[in-house]
Amino acid sequence: MPQRSNGFAVESGRAIVATCVGVLLLVAATGCGTWDGGTIRTAGPAAAHAPGAAPKPGSLEGFSSPESVLFAGDRWFISNIGAAREPAQDGDGYLTELNSVGTVTARHAMPRPGDPPLNAPKGLAYTDNRVFVTDVDRVVGFDTDSHAQVFEARLGDNAPALFDDLALRDPHTLLITDTLRGAVYRLDLATGTFDPVATGIPGATGITLDRTGRFAYVVGEGVSFTGGDLWRIDLTQHPVTPQRIGAVQGVLDGVSVLPGGNLIVSDWVSGQGDQPGRMTIYRPDGVEVTAVNLPESLHGPADFAVDPAGRNLWIPALRDDRVVIVPLP
């Protein structure tokens, strides 16, 4: 059950999930998979994944509070907040790396042993052979070849922050949400400096850009982490005034723009008890189009991603310690 600690929403306990021989494996609808170090094979009548094929709907098990999925060419990454599921300076966060067929190649890819730790990594972005991740009050970057940390930027003031998601504005600029301050910042990757973009988005979590790059859509959890809204900001405005979109409301976490222009939003529904989460597709004006068919047991859908083929959603079920793969409607 969620608790409040130092102004942050945290959760006690861990969901108990099945794992296969203690490694991350794809569990298809027909049963538990096996991993031979290359492709993923599924038990029963489902065929093995041929090299270069996208993983089929199912789930990846054995994570530690997975929060975000990133597709970066032929390398895929998943952020893990850690066992405590809270933004504490506990050093138990990490990034998992997979190859382009969904096989885990490094469970604890970043940080490397002996390098500075990650505490509660969440949102991910990729540019110039570097993967960037939010980590409570900073943004950290890693070289995708060496896995070495090559970047770090902090706000530079003493006020508490809770960074959540990232969106790549251009090869040199990230947009970052701050849940605690209800704000969006612009981060210059060349200088490591932050500039405020927008405020007044209670509990800001997920952020994404439309295809033009002019508009950013932001979702929130609300002031007390019990319910927020969908917002749009026009990045050409000075100053930027966030606009609430439709009547979309919930404990919202992730948002993405689909190829046709519609939005897809993940919603925890409630941080309380065992109530499952949901995902919904909306028009850009906030009118509901359809719900995504999810397993009934999916809890805490976080910062999801659409696979490179545009067929499946990869959804971190944070409270279940797994990543669920479901087809787009």
Side-chain angles (χ1 to χ4, degrees):
M1 181 176 295
Q3 305 171 25
R4 300 283 296 179
S5 174
N6 298 324
F8 299 139
V10 302
E11 183 179 330
S12 64
R14 299 185 63 186
I16 299 175
V17 296
T19 59
C20 297
V21 201
V23 296
L24 304 175
L25 300 170
L26 183 67
V27 179
T30 54
C32 189
T34 60
W35 181 46
D36 65 1
T39 59
I40 299 171
R41 294 184 170 86
T42 59
H49 293 295
K56 297 178 181 179
S59 69
L60 291 164
E61 307 283 350
F63 293 95
S64 185
S65 305
E67 208 282 337
S68 185
V69 176
L70 171 71
F71 297 107
D74 60 356
R75 293 175 175 176
W76 304 350
F77 298 93
I78 296 170
S79 62
N80 296 260
I81 292 175
R85 294 182 182 160
E86 61 179 287
Q89 306 291 340
D90 52 15
D92 69 344
Y94 60 93
L95 306 186
T96 296
E97 182 175 336
L98 303 86
N99 63 19
S100 59
V101 296
T103 301
V104 173
T105 57
R107 180 177 180 181
H108 291 260
M110 306 163 188
R112 302 177 306 184
D115 283 353
L118 286 173
N119 296 303
K122 291 187 176 182
L124 296 165
Y126 173 79
T127 183
D128 191 27
N129 207 46
R130 295 176 294 174
V131 57
F132 295 89
V133 60
T134 60
D135 188 24
V136 187
D137 59 355
R138 63 183 184 146
V139 175
V140 183
F142 297 92
D143 182 277
T144 55
D145 291 328
S146 68
H147 291 179
Q149 180 178 322
V150 294
F151 179 89
E152 181 181 23
R154 297 178 184 268
L155 270 177
D157 58 32
N158 294 321
L162 183 55
F163 291 163
D164 191 282
D165 200 12
L166 301 174
L168 185 68
R169 179 80 193 278
D170 59 51
H172 313 289
T173 311
L174 293 175
L175 298 178
I176 301 152
T177 57
D178 185 337
T179 305
L180 194 62
R181 302 187 190 188
V184 176
Y185 308 105
R186 182 185 295 108
L187 172 59
D188 186 320
L189 294 177
T191 64
T193 56
F194 291 85
D195 293 308
V197 174
T199 57
I201 304 174
T205 50
I207 185 170
T208 189
L209 292 167
D210 75 348
R211 288 174 295 175
T212 70
R214 174 179 175 179
F215 296 103
Y217 291 92
V218 183
V219 293
E221 298 176 339
V223 174
S224 58
F225 303 94
T226 57
D229 306 283
L230 169 65
W231 302 80
R232 181 175 60 225
I233 57 177
D234 185 342
L235 298 172
T236 65
Q237 287 184 339
H238 301 283
V240 172
T241 302
Q243 295 181 326
R244 188 182 286 107
I245 304 299
V248 182
Q249 220 263 347
V251 185
L252 310 180
D253 195 315
V255 60
S256 183
V257 177
L258 296 174
N262 286 334
L263 306 172
I264 183 167
V265 175
S266 64
D267 182 359
W268 283 46
V269 180
S270 172
Q272 304 291 329
D274 294 326
Q275 190 170 8
R278 65 188 175 201
M279 296 189 65
T280 309
I281 296 176
Y282 299 94
R283 294 190 333 209
D285 60 2
V287 174
E288 182 175 337
V289 176
T290 188
V292 177
N293 186 21
L294 299 178
E296 292 182 3
S297 60
L298 193 156
H299 302 91
D303 188 15
F304 61 91
V306 180
D307 70 17
R311 294 195 297 265
N312 298 319
L313 291 169
W314 285 54
I315 308 166
L318 190 150
R319 292 176 57 197
D320 300 331
D321 292 335
R322 61 184 175 135
V323 175
V324 177
I325 306 168
V326 301
L328 274 168

